Amino acid sequence: MIDHTIDSNEAAGLAHRADTAAHHRAEPPVLTLKGLRQTFKTPRGDVPAVAGVDLEVRPGQVLCLVGESGCGKTTTARMAAALTEPTAGSVLFRGKDVAEMDRTERAAFRRSVQYIHQDPYASLNPVRTVYSTVSAGLRRHKLVASHAEARRVTTELLERVDLVPAEDHLDKYPHQMSGGQRQRVAIARALAMNPEVIIADESTSMLDVSIRVSLLNTLGRLRDELGVGFLFITHDLAVAKYFAWQGEIAVMYLGKVVERGTAPRVINDPRHPYTKALISAVCEPDPDLVRKERVRLRGADIPDLTDLPSGCDFHPRCPLYEEGDCDSVRPPLVRGHDRLLACHVATRR
Ligand code: SF4
C-alpha cells in the first residue's frame, strides 16, 4: 500500500511543489506529441496500436499515461523517445520535428530525452560494472576529461539517486544488486546525459511496494530539483496518483486518450466511464481511489484491435451506453468539466 498521510512539513512541501508545478504548467512544452499514430501490419489485419495521440510534456512536470496493458502506452512512449517511428503524426522537441532533425540535432535529442525501461534486469549489461554503465555516456560524449573525473561524476550521480555509499556500488555488477538498486543505476545512467525529459515506462512496476515508494520519491526529487519533465507510464492508478499529483493524468483506451486533466480532477472526480471503471477496480486501500461508486461493466472482454466496434470503442463494455451516438459516432476528445473528455454522455452531464 502507498501511504498518503502527510504531516505539516510535507504539507508545506506539497504547497511549494504546487506553486512550482503551476509555474511549469505555464512554460512551453519541451516534448510535444502531435496526432501520433502507430499501425502494425499483422496477418489478421492492421492493428491501430496508437490512433491519434496529442500530448505535451513541460519542464518539471509529470504527465502520467494510464491504462490497461495493451492500450498503447508503451508504443506511445517508444515513439516519444524516437525508438520507433510513428506511422503518422510527429514528435516535436522544443518545437522541432524529430523526423526532420539532422545528425547533430538528433544526438542532442537522444541525450535530452532519456528512456527508463520497465525491467532493470534486462536494461543493464550484465558484464559491465555500475561505473562502466553510468559513465559510458559521459565518456562517449566527452563530458569528462579523465578517468578520475568520470569516477567522481559517476559517484555524484549515484548519490543523487540515493545509491549510497556510492563508493560501495561503483564496481558492482548488476547481479550483485537488488532490483531497486539496479533501477537506480538505470536512472543515474539517464541523469548522466543531463536530460530535460525522462520517459519512465512502468519503471517501478517490478519492484516491491516499499522500494517503489522510495524510488518514486527519488524521481520526484529529480523532477523538483532539476526541473526534469516526466512522461510516466503506468497501469497503476495508485502510483499515478502518488507521482503525478501536481501534474496531469491522461487515460488511454485502445490507442486513444479518453480523459485527460490535472491529477486531482481525474482521480477525485473521474468523468469518463472507463476512468471510473479503472478507479473502481483499484484494490489499493486509498479513500480517494475506493470511495467511488462500484462500476459494473456491460462486458469484460476488450475488443480486438483488428475488429474495433462501430462508434465509441468502449461501448460494448460501457455502463453509460446509450443507443444512438454511442454505437455509431466515435466521440471526439473535447473540453468539458475542466478537462478533455471523449464521451458523448459524460460531456453533456
Ligand atoms: Fe460510454 Fe457512450 Fe461515453 Fe462511449 S460515448 S464511453 S459508450 S457513454
Side-chain angles (χ1 to χ4, degrees):
M1 150 183 172
I2 294 180
D3 184 359
H4 301 290
T5 314
I6 56 171
D7 61 23
S8 56
N9 285 340
E10 285 172 309
L14 279 173
H16 169 71
R17 289 222 298 276
D19 287 349
T20 310
H23 166 72
H24 286 313
R25 267 200 289 280
E27 290 189 45
V30 59
L31 191 66
T32 307
L33 314 185
K34 261 180 123 173
L36 221 51
R37 289 177 182 272
Q38 183 64 259
T39 305
F40 297 116
K41 303 266 179 213
T42 74
R44 292 179 52 240
D46 287 357
V47 173
V50 177
V53 165
D54 296 278
L55 295 171
E56 302 89 36
V57 181
R58 294 172 200 280
Q61 250 212 298
V62 178
L63 172 65
C64 195
L65 209 47
V66 179
E68 292 164 295
S69 75
C71 73
K73 308 182 298 284
T74 291
T75 308
T76 302
R78 289 182 59 78
M79 288 190 285
L83 298 174
T84 316
E85 277 199 22
T87 312
S90 45
V91 176
L92 309 179
F93 178 66
R94 296 214 167 278
K96 171 114 193 187
D97 191 333
V98 173
E100 292 168 6
M101 287 180 172
D102 61 28
R103 259 174 90 102
T104 314
E105 289 169 327
R106 204 167 244 261
F109 168 81
R110 291 229 178 271
R111 284 200 301 275
S112 297
V113 178
Q114 290 287 316
Y115 195 97
I116 300 174
H117 294 263
Q118 173 179 10
D119 185 357
Y121 298 82
S123 71
L124 300 178
N125 187 332
V127 297
R128 282 189 161 198
T129 63
V130 169
Y131 162 72
S132 173
T133 295
V134 176
S135 67
L138 295 170
R139 291 178 279 122
R140 186 168 58 249
H141 295 290
K142 303 199 177 0
L143 301 174
V144 286
S146 64
H147 175 73
E149 189 182 359
R151 296 272 302 183
R152 180 181 58 74
V153 174
T154 303
T155 303
E156 287 169 4
L157 287 164
L158 296 184
E159 286 167 354
R160 205 171 249 294
V161 298
D162 302 321
L163 208 49
V164 287
E167 291 77 10
D168 289 357
H169 296 286
L170 277 174
D171 299 313
K172 281 187 179 167
Y173 289 91
H175 74 270
Q176 296 172 307
M177 310 180 90
S178 68
Q181 289 173 330
R182 277 189 277 249
Q183 202 56 299
R184 288 179 194 279
V185 172
I187 297 166
R189 175 175 59 184
L191 281 186
M193 295 296 95
N194 202 13
E196 292 177 71
V197 174
I198 288 179
I199 299 175
D201 183 6
E202 298 276 13
S203 303
T204 60
S205 62
M206 292 181 73
L207 306 174
D208 291 343
V209 173
S210 61
I211 297 167
R212 187 183 307 160
V213 171
S214 162
L215 199 68
L216 288 171
N217 290 340
T218 301
L219 292 174
R221 208 164 30 72
L222 301 175
R223 171 198 62 203
D224 296 338
E225 291 176 4
L226 305 178
V228 178
F230 277 85
L231 178 56
F232 192 82
I233 314 295
T234 182
H235 67 281
D236 185 337
L237 268 167
V239 168
K241 180 193 167 192
Y242 190 77
F243 189 59
W245 194 245
Q246 311 298 335
E248 276 195 303
I249 291 181
V251 180
M252 268 187 101
Y253 183 69
L254 294 183
K256 302 176 194 73
V257 172
V258 294
E259 179 162 9
R260 175 182 163 193
T262 61
R265 278 200 189 104
V266 173
I267 296 286
N268 289 337
D269 183 26
R271 294 298 178 122
H272 196 284
Y274 177 62
T275 313
K276 288 185 182 190
L278 277 183
I279 290 176
S280 161
V282 169
C283 308
E284 199 77 16
D286 178 324
D288 287 336
L289 294 174
V290 295
R291 69 164 180 235
K292 315 290 180 228
E293 75 249 49
R294 286 273 145 213
V295 175
R296 279 186 172 279
L297 295 177
R298 292 202 305 147
D301 292 340
I302 301 175
D304 187 335
L305 275 166
T306 60
D307 186 22
L308 287 171
S310 60
C312 173
D313 293 338
F314 192 53
H315 91 248
R317 305 171 74 193
C318 181
L320 295 187
Y321 165 79
E322 290 178 3
E323 236 173 83
D325 282 352
C326 287
D327 52 20
S328 60
V329 180
R330 181 153 287 155
L333 189 65
V334 294
R335 190 153 284 286
H337 301 292
D338 292 329
R339 72 200 68 199
L340 293 168
L341 263 178
C343 174
H344 298 304
V345 176
T347 43
R348 65 168 191 262
R349 282 189 172 181

